[in-house]
Amino acid sequence: MGNSKILYCRNCASQTNHRKILKYDWGYTCARCGTWQHQSVLLELQQSYAAKSILDAMGDEYVSYCDGELEEFIEASHALNLEFDYQENGDGGYDFMAWNPSEEKIARIVL
């Protein structure tokens, strides 16, 4: 199926299979929940502050400190096809890590 992609669905909050559909404009419909999102949504997530912060921190030996919501960093990780993990830290924020399994680079960020 050439018009199918695995994309992040904001409604399901996970990566799911999406079919390319022409509605008002070209976009993708989630096969799980049926939510349609414009094709630019993925591009917006890939160019967001969270995505830029993750890419800037990738491979850096130091921990980066960023403002932003945990959900934004999770969405950006999905959009960039990165694996991630996080845990609450003692300061009311989160320690967030993202990585590409095929590379040795890791982004370490404190939110």
Side-chain angles (χ1 to χ4, degrees), residues 36-53:
W36 182 85
Q37 51 188 354
H38 192 271
Q39 61 187 355
S40 66
V41 170
L42 180 63
L43 185 61
E44 288 174 20
L45 290 172
Q46 290 173 333
Q47 295 177 348
S48 67
Y49 166 76
K52 183 179 180 324
S53 298

Side-chain angles (χ1 to χ4, degrees), residues 23-71:
K23 198 170 183 175
Y24 310 106
D25 195 0
W26 282 106
Y28 294 91
T29 299
C30 177
R32 184 185 299 165
C33 70
T35 301
W36 182 85
Q37 51 188 354
H38 192 271
Q39 61 187 355
S40 66
V41 170
L42 180 63
L43 185 61
E44 288 174 20
L45 290 172
Q46 290 173 333
Q47 295 177 348
S48 67
Y49 166 76
K52 183 179 180 324
S53 298
I54 291 169
L55 293 175
D56 286 349
M58 194 67 72
D60 195 353
E61 63 184 88
Y62 301 105
V63 175
S64 297
Y65 292 85
C66 299
D67 292 329
E69 298 294 322
L70 177 62
E71 292 78 20

